[in-house]
Amino acid sequence: MAVFQVDNGSHYCYDAGMTKQLGQYPVRTLVVLGLVTTLTACQDSQNTKSEGSTKPVVVATYSILGDVVTDLVGNAADVVVIIANGQDPHEFEPSVKDIEQINKADLVISNGLDLEEHLVDALAQAAAKGVAMFAASEHVTVRAAGPELTDGKDNKDPHLWLDPLTLAEMIPDLSAELGKVLGVDLASRATELTSKMSAINEQAMTIMSPVSNCVLVTGHDSLGYFAARYGCNIVGAVIPSLSSLAETSAGELADLKKLATSAKVRAIFTELGTPRAVVDQIAKEVGVKSVELQTHVLPIDGHYADLITSLAASIADALK
Ligand SMILES: [Zn+2]
């Protein structure tokens, strides 16, 4: 379930069928109503703490990070994910229980750079109370997005997990911090995880190798790290912002259509947080297909490796 928010501040719960229903409205109506900004999460945290467990608790803010952290800690801690898989981390709003989990954690691992926009205050309050914190973005090489951003926000790109080698940069500091908090030596698990990240990168390289001209139009500005690693050019985004919460305008969509046409894109990609009806309309007008990518969630029953290889496969299939 998710919350559907319109520009008067009202919230409505919706199911997957609503995305389909939006197809009956013209793009302009959706833009005017502010519906391009809208899908907000409303599930509780995904508590993987075992019943009766006395292990230390590590909180990871979102599912993808939680999967990688679980790989690193093994059985040394219970990993609790606040933003359950399937939820858009940009849009998730925490419950009272989520905030309690954060405050009780032995270590909280977040992405940072305001990816978890509605958790920022809760994380700052927990840090002020002395809860140990680790923000992944403070331990990797952060990509600066281009000056084309129009929402006036900081242009540091939070989507660092979409390049396995960037995400892997946090492993030495994270394993040291976890080792200190949990009182265990994670050095060999850290080495294994680093090798795994290299292997994931090589798999993605192989999958992308048949694509001779990787030109992307995306849902929001989410694929900068992926594009830099795998040799793609980003023409633009339906929501021209690093957050799926931002707004777009009819003028920006018209410009995007022109850019996409002149760049001869072969598909318009969409993702969680971008209304499919808007994307389908743009794709129709440009004369190409629209293709949904999973960028902010893990595949069902899948892990981080599957996220990256599935993403590469979806892009390669659409563009070759
Ligand atoms: Zn995003």
Side-chain angles (χ1 to χ4, degrees):
M1 182 165 308
V3 170
F4 203 77
Q5 184 171 22
V6 295
D7 54 358
N8 64 4
S10 303
H11 289 70
Y12 299 94
C13 283
Y14 95 112
D15 59 25
M18 184 171 276
T19 307
K20 206 171 172 188
Q21 287 168 23
L22 287 173
Q24 66 189 290
Y25 299 107
V27 171
R28 185 173 297 169
T29 305
L30 293 168
V31 171
V32 168
L33 288 174
L35 296 185
V36 285
T37 68
T38 50
L39 306 184
T40 301
C42 71
Q43 275 184 354
D44 277 339
S45 59
Q46 184 179 324
N47 186 351
T48 57
K49 184 171 169 56
S50 318
E51 203 66 39
S53 169
T54 54
K55 287 181 192 172
V57 175
V58 173
V59 160
T61 51
Y62 63 107
S63 58
I64 298 165
L65 192 56
D67 186 65
V68 175
V69 168
T70 302
D71 217 342
L72 187 55
V73 300
N75 293 320
D78 286 322
V79 177
V80 172
V81 169
I82 299 294
I83 305 172
N85 197 34
Q87 307 287 306
D88 184 344
H90 296 291
E91 301 188 340
F92 178 86
E93 298 196 25
S95 66
V96 172
K97 185 183 155 207
D98 295 327
I99 291 168
E100 271 173 25
Q101 303 264 29
I102 289 168
N103 287 329
K104 285 194 307 198
D106 292 288
L107 177 66
V108 176
I109 305 167
S110 66
N111 188 83
L113 299 176
D114 290 353
L115 171 78
E116 312 95 330
E117 209 164 318
H118 301 298
L119 284 182
V120 167
D121 291 347
L123 294 175
Q125 282 160 15
K129 286 178 192 159
V131 177
M133 295 281 163
F134 183 97
S137 56
E138 291 171 10
H139 302 270
V140 304
T141 308
V142 170
R143 171 187 170 272
E148 71 276 11
L149 290 179
T150 55
D151 62 1
K153 287 197 172 180
D154 196 330
N155 73 344
K156 288 183 179 143
D157 187 346
H159 302 90
L160 41 100
W161 67 91
L162 291 169
D163 167 22
L165 298 190
T166 296
L167 189 60
E169 288 176 27
M170 74 173 177
I171 295 171
D173 289 349
L174 180 57
S175 57
E177 184 66 21
L178 278 164
K180 203 167 69 183
V181 170
L182 306 179
V184 290
D185 182 358
L186 294 173
S188 66
R189 294 192 74 93
T191 304
E192 272 175 42
L193 182 56
T194 303
S195 304
K196 193 188 264 190
M197 293 300 215
S198 289
I200 295 167
N201 173 58
E202 278 161 28
Q203 281 176 283
M205 286 275 183
T206 304
I207 294 166
M208 290 297 288
S209 62
V211 182
S212 56
N213 186 23
C214 182
V215 180
L216 304 174
V217 173
T218 55
H220 63 283
D221 289 319
S222 61
L223 283 174
Y225 291 92
F226 183 94
R229 180 66 62 197
Y230 303 112
C232 301
N233 282 321
I234 298 178
V235 171
V238 175
I239 299 174
S241 167
L242 290 167
S243 170
S244 59
L245 292 177
E247 304 212 3
T248 189
S249 67
E252 283 170 329
L253 290 178
D255 290 345
L256 180 64
K257 275 179 247 169
K258 277 186 215 153
L259 282 170
T261 304
S262 68
K264 297 188 168 62
V265 301
R266 303 184 72 170
I268 307 288
F269 293 102
T270 181
E271 56 196 320
L272 196 62
T274 317
R276 185 62 188 255
V278 176
V279 176
D280 286 347
Q281 185 68 27
I282 294 169
K284 194 175 158 197
E285 290 177 28
V286 174
V288 296
K289 62 199 162 211
S290 64
V291 175
E292 181 148 10
L293 300 177
Q294 299 295 341
T295 50
H296 292 57
V297 295
L298 296 168
I300 293 167
D301 298 328
H303 293 283
Y304 177 72
D306 308 303
L307 163 65
I308 297 298
T309 53
S310 305
L311 176 62
S314 298
I315 293 172
D317 282 350
L319 300 184
K320 68 190 175 191

